[in-house]
Amino acid sequence: MTVQTIRKRPDFLAANRGVRVARPGFILLAHPNGGRGKRFGITVTKRVGNAVVRNRMKRRFRELLRDALPGEGLADHDHVLIGRDGGIERDFAALREDLGVALARAAKGQGDPPRRRRRSPAR
């Protein structure tokens, strides 16, 4: 079974309403997608590093998801990985193990508590 890629912004925004599991190198979002199969998306912000660093991280995440999702991914869910600062230095085997743990927690519905929004300073 092939795993499809999420490309449209509304799908990423919908995934943000799903289960959130934070790991040292990334945050996993999992959200039911209404029978569209296993899909994945990757987000790495400029806060993580320059374009070279972000692209390297996205390549690592893409390979990680293509390896793990067919067997361990949640059926009919969108899976979104959000890169964190420690993700580029983290060993690939450790990332793979973290993803397995995060997928297992998401399958049980054991996400992290909702994060509090920081207030932006008055301008």
Side-chain angles (χ1 to χ4, degrees):
M1 176 185 176
T2 61
V3 180
Q4 295 178 341
T5 307
I6 299 172
R7 298 189 189 281
K8 301 206 181 289
R9 187 168 191 269
D11 292 334
F12 280 94
L13 293 176
N16 204 27
R17 294 191 302 266
V19 177
R20 173 183 299 267
V21 182
R23 304 302 324 155
F26 59 84
I27 298 170
L28 171 71
L29 305 175
H31 186 261
N33 62 19
R36 294 187 189 144
K38 295 178 186 176
R39 302 190 312 170
F40 75 89
I42 298 168
T43 303
V44 182
T45 64
K46 286 185 178 180
R47 200 178 300 170
V48 172
N50 63 16
V52 174
V53 171
R54 292 193 314 268
N55 286 331
R56 183 179 301 145
M57 184 177 267
K58 286 189 273 189
R59 282 193 303 271
R60 294 181 82 197
F61 284 169
R62 211 173 295 124
E63 187 59 34
L64 195 65
L65 288 165
R66 285 187 181 139
D67 178 43
L69 283 187
E72 299 174 42
L74 284 66
D76 295 328
H77 274 68
D78 289 341
H79 306 80
V80 176
L81 279 188
I82 302 172
R84 295 177 92 179
D85 277 338
I88 197 67
E89 298 92 18
R90 201 145 167 81
D91 184 47
F92 192 79
L95 280 175
R96 177 67 177 91
E97 189 174 318
D98 287 343
L99 183 60
V101 170
L103 286 170
R105 283 189 57 195
K108 294 178 189 172
Q110 296 177 337
D112 296 333
R115 60 193 177 134
R116 283 195 253 152
R117 305 282 301 186
R118 279 188 272 165
R119 290 184 147 194
S120 59
R123 292 183 184 194

